[in-house]
Amino acid sequence: MDIYVRRGESFWYFSNLFNIPLQLIIDSNRDVDPNALTVGQAVKIPGYAAVDYRIRAGDTLWQIAQSRNIHLDALVLANRNSNPNQLYIGQMIKVPTRITWRIVQGKKSYDSRSFMNDVRRLESIYPFMKVPSIGKSVLGKRIPEAQIGNGNKKVHYNGAFHANEWITTPILMTFINDYLLALTNHSSIRGLSMLNLYTQMALSIVPMVNPDGVDLVLNGPPEEEPWNERVVEWNKGSIDFSDWKANIRGVDLNDQFPAEWEREKARNPTEPGPRDYVGEKPLSEPEAIAMAELTRKRDFSRVLAFHTQGKVIYWGFENLEPPESEAIVQEFSRVSGYQPVKSIESYAGYKDWFIQDWRRPGFTVELGFGINPLPLSQFDEIYEEALGIFLAGLYM
Ligand SMILES: [Zn+2]
């Protein structure tokens, strides 16, 4: 919600008036110098929406503020162009309304359009979260990265590397939404102060690495040629894409990283298809390149890649992982009930490459149990299991 500065006001005053942590107001207004506010300047107040209200007989601003549990001056501030002493029946005013509910409704077919709608809505309500793009898919769709927190410890989560594991995107988006809600409402999650985590961590989340693939699984082939014809051909003539893991060029994005890529190539299909094709070379695909560039640029202290399914957590690669990986995975296991697995015969994955090149903790978390795509009926159960891991990834 935007408000406009009056004489003598400060971020500190707005923080008290709206009961929103000062740091969140500062971070929502990075282009504003808090020590040099000018009259009439727009300031974003996170966690609020300005809701229209039509004045009825007998209304006063004082009584409207009382009934909605907001300060009278918050109401005056949101209606700077109307005279609070001269309300008339039928007049429309803005009522600052604290957002206490989830925006993200994850229990649905969550294609790239649903995803981007939620990204835009969260961005506008919680402007202290930044959501730049890290790149574009083959079909030109944005790959957004949510950045939450202004601390030093850099942690990264991602989802939907694999198209038919798209449920990982709404699971991550629900966590982002719950984190933001807890911050603006001074609440904790499972006893953890999220504001403390916010000041200590810089959390990076790429909820949908493979938007073209997700849309293929959920909506069928794209209209664009040559992909419209090719994907059906690579899918052996079938228009049922529920087994599809790859990007739109039939390359498995989690087989694209320069970590024993040749070994992965030797054991996998040699042509584009629904799954396991490694591509012509490592990092040939724009989605994989975007993830590699982000990871190099940001120098994360740990990464967690969310997949489905199996209720297992892979935490090793060629014995290159640091000793702390084992302690961390034990905590992940404790809070989720998932089984730690050190490694399997598999190479060239994102977490493999991270462990190999940084020698820091990297994990592949296989959420849920069943046949991909996992049914939405599992959503709540998966979220509860994943939530423990999301939080442990921050406090461990
Ligand atoms: Zn996967």
Side-chain angles (χ1 to χ4, degrees):
M1 185 183 80
D2 278 0
I3 51 116
Y4 298 89
V5 175
R6 297 167 304 185
R7 199 167 305 281
E9 286 179 336
S10 62
F11 280 3
W12 177 245
Y13 177 70
F14 299 140
S15 167
N16 282 300
L17 186 63
F18 292 99
N19 191 21
I20 291 289
L22 179 61
Q23 190 62 50
L24 300 182
I25 297 183
I26 295 170
D27 292 349
S28 295
N29 295 280
R30 275 175 241 248
D31 50 347
V32 175
D33 178 356
N35 298 313
L37 295 184
T38 55
V39 172
Q41 184 167 25
V43 167
K44 294 186 169 75
I45 304 297
Y48 275 82
V51 175
D52 287 326
Y53 175 74
R54 189 182 297 277
I55 296 293
R56 290 182 295 199
D59 278 344
T60 65
L61 284 189
W62 184 83
Q63 160 263 317
I64 293 168
Q66 277 289 93
S67 69
R68 287 167 175 75
N69 201 24
I70 54 172
H71 286 287
L72 175 60
D73 197 39
L75 194 52
V76 172
L77 190 54
N79 294 279
R80 66 195 173 114
N81 292 325
S82 33
N83 181 343
N85 300 316
Q86 288 184 353
L87 296 179
Y88 56 89
I89 292 168
Q91 181 182 358
M92 295 301 289
I93 64 163
K94 298 283 184 193
V95 177
T97 303
R98 177 181 282 278
I99 310 275
T100 57
W101 57 89
R102 276 183 189 162
I103 301 299
V104 174
Q105 299 300 325
K107 248 194 259 184
K108 63 178 181 188
S109 288
Y110 207 79
D111 62 6
S112 72
R113 181 191 292 257
S114 313
F115 168 55
M116 288 309 301
N117 276 338
D118 282 347
V119 165
R120 278 188 283 266
R121 291 175 70 196
L122 291 178
E123 248 182 324
S124 91
I125 298 169
Y126 304 101
F128 55 85
M129 172 177 75
K130 299 293 169 213
V131 197
S133 293
I134 63 163
K136 282 185 173 168
S137 68
V138 171
L139 296 178
K141 289 170 193 154
R142 275 185 61 188
I143 305 173
E145 177 209 18
Q147 303 172 347
I148 311 172
N150 59 5
N152 295 321
K153 191 171 172 192
K154 290 176 269 185
V155 172
H156 171 77
Y157 300 165
N158 63 58
F161 251 96
H162 285 144
N164 65 351
E165 301 169 11
W166 57 263
I167 199 170
T168 52
T169 301
I171 293 278
L172 280 162
M173 288 295 285
T174 302
F175 173 62
I176 290 172
N177 200 160
D178 285 358
Y179 189 178
L180 299 171
L181 263 176
L183 289 172
T184 56
N185 291 289
H186 304 268
S187 47
S188 56
I189 302 181
R190 294 194 181 168
L192 284 171
S193 157
M194 300 310 283
L195 195 58
N196 276 351
L197 290 175
Y198 180 87
T199 56
Q200 290 159 15
M201 319 289 304
L203 174 59
S204 153
I205 303 185
V206 177
M208 191 183 281
V209 174
N210 182 10
D212 297 346
V214 168
D215 288 349
L216 176 61
V217 169
L218 289 173
N219 304 331
E223 283 171 17
E224 292 96 324
E225 293 294 1
W227 313 115
N228 183 285
E229 246 175 71
R230 276 191 196 166
V231 291
V232 177
E233 196 184 307
W234 289 332
N235 205 32
K236 302 196 165 36
S238 168
I239 52 160
D240 175 0
F241 287 89
S242 52
D243 283 336
W244 192 275
K245 293 171 78 177
N247 75 348
I248 205 74
R249 285 207 283 238
V251 177
D252 192 318
L253 298 175
N254 207 35
D255 279 328
Q256 269 273 289
F257 289 84
E260 305 286 350
W261 180 83
E262 295 288 345
R263 281 167 84 182
E264 188 70 5
K265 182 181 176 176
R267 55 193 282 279
N268 280 7
T270 54
E271 297 289 328
R275 55 189 294 165
D276 303 329
Y277 173 56
V278 300
E280 285 177 357
K281 58 177 184 185
L283 300 179
S284 62
E285 303 306 298
E287 300 90 350
I289 293 168
M291 285 304 300
E293 283 177 352
L294 172 77
T295 307
R296 288 196 188 107
K297 193 165 67 189
R298 212 57 70 66
D299 199 31
F300 298 122
S301 47
R302 75 175 57 132
V303 304
L304 281 71
F306 289 89
H307 289 249
T308 59
Q309 50 79 40
K311 300 199 179 194
V312 293
I313 307 168
Y314 299 105
W315 58 278
F317 183 67
E318 304 287 280
N319 294 314
L320 298 173
E321 67 286 350
E324 73 211 79
S325 293
E326 188 165 11
I328 296 168
V329 83
Q330 291 303 335
E331 179 66 3
F332 290 166
S333 174
R334 187 185 73 79
V335 296
S336 63
Y338 287 12
Q339 198 64 38
V341 175
K342 192 170 179 191
S343 48
I344 46 165
E345 201 199 348
S346 167
Y347 313 95
Y350 173 75
K351 82 105 174 59
D352 304 333
W353 172 70
F354 182 77
I355 292 173
Q356 173 196 272
D357 278 21
W358 278 266
R359 308 291 166 105
R360 292 178 191 161
F363 306 90
T364 297
V365 182
E366 299 282 359
L367 297 174
F369 196 84
I371 294 166
N372 288 331
L374 293 179
L376 285 165
S377 56
Q378 278 196 31
F379 188 91
D380 294 332
E381 185 191 329
I382 292 174
Y383 184 68
E384 287 307 310
E385 294 159 355
L387 180 58
I389 299 171
F390 295 148
L391 296 170
L394 296 174
Y395 68 69
M396 274 298 282

